[in-house]
Amino acid sequence: RFIAEKVREMIKLVDRFQFQVMVKTDDDTFLCLHTLGKFLARLPDKKRTRLYLGNAQKRTHIIKDPNHSQHDEIYDHLVEGKLDFYPKYMQGSLYALGYELVENLNRVRDNLKVFRNEDVMVNVWTSAFQREFVDVGKKFIAFRNCSCFGYGREPPKFSYHPCKDTKQLEGCFHNYGQC
């Protein structure tokens, strides 16, 4: 629940900082801000402000066994146990939310339910508002054992995941710098 609570608290930043897009990554993700920024700059303003961007998970089974460590009692109760799969959502190694979407979430943040599966939780929260669902898939997000480390030079992606140790992160920085 800790990461889910942090995401809910992060939404409050809309009142404290000026931004166009809020990006959430896992702590083992090497983020290429320059590459992501160039992609975002090409989006029309209206699309960018309502953005929900990431790598979409399309058919993930809902764990219904209440004894399983990943069972999400709150979500299961919300859908009354009637779904076998989660609705399409952005995988949590990287997702981005546009300013207008974050602002809308901030207005209702005290009413937002916190789930065990934070990725699904953000999808449920944002689905209540007009949003631009942008699935960048694996074209821009790499998932091969910190693929920037030791694989030579390939076109930079938005992020590299998972980079589990300092040596891997240093490899990312060496190969890509600021991407």
Side-chain angles (χ1 to χ4, degrees):
R1 277 207 184 300
F2 184 67
I3 186 67
E5 291 286 352
K6 283 182 11 181
V7 170
R8 186 166 61 180
E9 291 301 308
M10 183 176 76
I11 290 166
K12 294 178 185 178
L13 296 175
V14 75
D15 293 332
R16 301 186 67 193
F17 297 98
Q18 289 185 340
F19 63 91
Q20 291 182 11
V21 175
M22 181 178 283
V23 178
K24 181 269 178 192
T25 67
D26 287 346
D27 62 359
D28 61 351
T29 299
F30 183 82
L31 180 62
C32 296
L33 283 173
H34 183 71
T35 304
L36 178 59
K38 285 192 321 188
F39 178 86
L40 294 173
R42 290 192 304 266
L43 295 176
D45 288 344
K46 197 68 167 172
K47 190 170 194 169
R48 193 171 43 251
T49 62
R50 297 178 179 161
L51 187 66
Y52 178 40
L53 174 142
N55 177 37
Q57 301 298 298
K58 296 171 180 86
R59 283 191 57 86
T60 303
H61 279 279
I62 295 174
I63 297 170
K64 296 185 178 193
D65 177 0
N67 298 316
H68 192 282
S69 65
Q70 295 301 312
H71 176 253
D72 193 329
E73 183 179 337
I74 295 170
Y75 185 81
D76 200 32
H77 180 73
L78 179 72
V79 299
E80 300 173 342
K82 295 179 180 176
L83 297 178
D84 291 326
F85 298 94
Y86 288 111
K88 186 166 57 170
Y89 64 92
M90 299 303 182
Q91 191 270 341
S93 70
L94 178 144
Y95 55 79
L97 303 172
Y99 177 83
E100 185 179 316
L101 203 49
V102 176
E103 189 177 47
N104 287 334
L105 291 172
N106 186 48
R107 277 198 296 267
V108 298
R109 74 174 178 262
D110 294 333
N111 299 320
L112 297 173
K113 295 202 181 300
V114 174
F115 308 159
R116 175 180 298 278
N117 186 331
E118 154 256 340
D119 306 345
V120 171
M121 175 189 78
V122 170
N123 178 62
V124 170
W125 291 354
T126 60
S127 66
F129 303 102
Q130 192 170 17
R131 67 182 183 181
E132 295 288 337
F133 195 94
V134 177
D135 178 9
V136 295
K138 294 179 180 150
K139 178 179 179 186
F140 289 106
I141 302 174
F143 293 98
R144 321 174 259 174
N145 290 330
C146 195
S147 61
C148 60
F149 178 70
Y151 286 97
R153 194 86 168 123
E154 62 182 52
K157 298 183 182 301
F158 296 160
S159 67
Y160 297 89
H161 178 266
C163 298
K164 295 292 186 190
D165 64 34
T166 305
K167 186 176 180 183
Q168 288 178 325
L169 288 171
E170 287 172 355
C172 287
F173 187 74
H174 175 75
N175 282 343
Y176 295 110
Q178 296 178 14
C179 306

